[in-house]
Amino acid sequence: MDKQLKNLVLNNSDSIVKKWLEEISKNRSNEYTSTISEELFESTNREFVNVIFTSVDKQRITSELDDFSERLINLGWPLSYITDGLQTFRRVTIDFILTQSEKIDSEDFAIVLDMVDNWVDPIINQLVNEYSGSWEHTVSLQRVALQELSAPLIPVMDNITVMPLIGTIDTDRAKLIMENLLDGVIKHNAEVVLIDITGVPVVDTMVAHHIIQAAEAVRLIGATCILVGIRPEIAQTIVNLGIDLRKFPTKSSLRKGVQTALELTNRRIVQSGNKEDGVEKLLDSLNKE
């Protein structure tokens, strides 16, 4: 019975595929696939159903399943596309078998259900597992990349470094900021560190607390921390919250912060001899008195 039903499905794959595509496309306007081009949608659907039939024919999980799940991740398609598609295949296949049988009793119906379940369930499990594993790997790589970029410490000149911060600062990122600051001060032999919060949208009590901790840690290893990029609305928020930032210098812009950093390292900005150019240059040499 099982072999006969299997041959029935494989010999009529075109009809099943046609019905499956109709069902998949029926509610497309209301789903995530509505933004996908018609050509890509159709080609992916046909590849999907071909992978299913290949697995059914060979009665085992094929490498095509792994490749297909990886391509879906690269396309950015959600996991629900896989699960919805396979559940639809299950329903369409059962309906087709039942319509082709002249007479079927409850026992035969149960056999049909078990047979289709035995085909579809392993495919669902394999695709979901592969999709989830590939997605977790991709997210892990992205997380590492974001961590490397989320708190960079940039040496701008001898003994002066800048850490530009952009976006929200949470506890995990604050820990990374602290680690990068301390490691960078030692690595670059920095005397002054400028923390630029121009790109931080909100500075609340927690964010200010993290910044104060970082500045204090920098001070303990012999360097000075200057907080720059304090916009008027940020300054007002800090005052309203009663946050004390008097322990280390603050400046409204990175330019003013650099000027202060130069003074702290016994350097200054002077105008070049050519007044017509109006060109200013930074003297890296020390101006010791």
Side-chain angles (χ1 to χ4, degrees):
M1 180 74 173
D2 181 77
K3 186 175 181 180
Q4 294 177 350
L5 291 176
K6 175 187 171 183
N7 291 334
L8 176 64
V9 170
L10 295 176
N11 292 336
N12 293 275
S13 59
D14 290 343
S15 299
I16 295 176
V17 168
K18 181 179 179 181
K19 181 63 177 177
W20 183 83
L21 292 173
E22 291 175 356
E23 293 292 327
I24 289 294
S25 303
K26 189 175 294 182
N27 298 320
R28 185 185 175 197
S29 60
N30 299 323
E31 296 180 348
Y32 51 85
T33 54
S34 60
T35 59
I36 299 172
S37 68
E38 190 70 27
E39 182 179 359
L40 178 59
F41 181 68
E42 290 184 359
S43 63
T44 304
N45 285 340
R46 292 195 175 277
E47 182 181 5
F48 189 10
V49 78
N50 285 336
V51 166
I52 295 173
F53 272 105
T54 300
S55 299
V56 170
D57 185 23
K58 296 182 179 180
Q59 291 187 316
R60 62 180 177 83
I61 303 302
T62 63
S63 59
E64 286 85 351
L65 283 172
D66 299 345
D67 297 337
F68 181 71
S69 63
E70 185 175 348
R71 279 194 290 275
L72 284 182
I73 292 176
N74 293 333
L75 290 171
W77 289 31
L79 181 60
S80 56
Y81 171 76
I82 292 176
T83 55
D84 292 347
L86 285 166
Q87 294 298 348
T88 301
F89 175 80
R90 186 202 305 270
R91 185 177 66 256
V92 168
T93 301
I94 291 174
D95 289 344
F96 178 82
I97 293 174
L98 295 179
T99 57
Q100 296 300 309
S101 302
E102 297 180 356
K103 183 178 180 181
I104 187 169
D105 54 25
S106 58
E107 182 178 351
D108 290 336
F109 182 72
I111 293 175
V112 171
L113 292 180
D114 288 341
M115 183 199 71
V116 176
D117 286 345
N118 290 335
W119 287 348
V120 175
D121 286 347
I123 300 175
I124 293 178
N125 294 335
Q126 179 70 12
L127 277 177
V128 169
N129 289 336
E130 290 296 331
Y131 185 97
S132 300
S134 298
W135 183 254
E136 289 175 0
H137 178 66
T138 301
V139 170
S140 177
L141 293 177
Q142 291 175 344
R143 184 181 296 112
V144 171
L146 286 174
Q147 287 179 345
E148 292 175 349
L149 298 173
S150 64
L153 191 65
I154 305 169
V156 292
M157 61 185 65
D158 289 345
N159 308 121
I160 299 176
T161 59
V162 177
M163 176 174 281
L165 300 178
I166 299 175
T168 304
I169 299 176
D170 56 15
T171 302
D172 291 337
R173 191 178 181 198
K175 181 180 178 182
L176 182 64
I177 290 172
M178 179 81 76
E179 293 174 354
N180 286 2
L181 269 176
L182 298 179
D183 291 343
V185 168
I186 301 300
K187 178 180 179 181
H188 302 297
N189 194 27
E191 296 180 17
V192 181
V193 178
L194 304 171
I195 299 180
D196 187 358
I197 62 169
T198 304
V200 178
V202 177
V203 175
D204 55 15
T205 304
M206 184 191 72
V207 172
H209 177 68
H210 289 318
I211 293 174
I212 291 172
Q213 281 188 323
E216 185 65 17
V218 169
R219 185 187 68 81
L220 290 175
I221 59 175
T224 300
C225 186
I226 302 177
L227 183 63
V228 303
I230 300 181
R231 307 183 300 277
E233 62 271 22
I234 297 297
Q236 184 176 0
T237 300
I238 291 175
V239 171
N240 291 338
L241 292 173
I243 300 169
D244 186 6
L245 296 179
R246 290 177 295 180
K247 292 184 178 180
F248 58 97
T250 59
K251 297 295 177 181
S252 60
S253 66
L254 180 59
R255 180 176 181 178
K256 292 181 179 179
V258 170
Q259 290 175 346
T260 302
L262 289 171
E263 293 173 1
L264 292 173
T265 54
N266 298 317
R267 285 174 285 189
R268 60 191 175 90
I269 298 177
V270 299
Q271 189 174 9
S272 65
N274 188 348
K275 295 183 179 180
E276 294 182 356
D277 292 340
V279 178
E280 293 182 351
K281 63 180 179 180
L282 296 177
L283 297 182
D284 292 332
S285 60
L286 296 177
N287 294 308
K288 304 285 186 180
E289 293 185 357

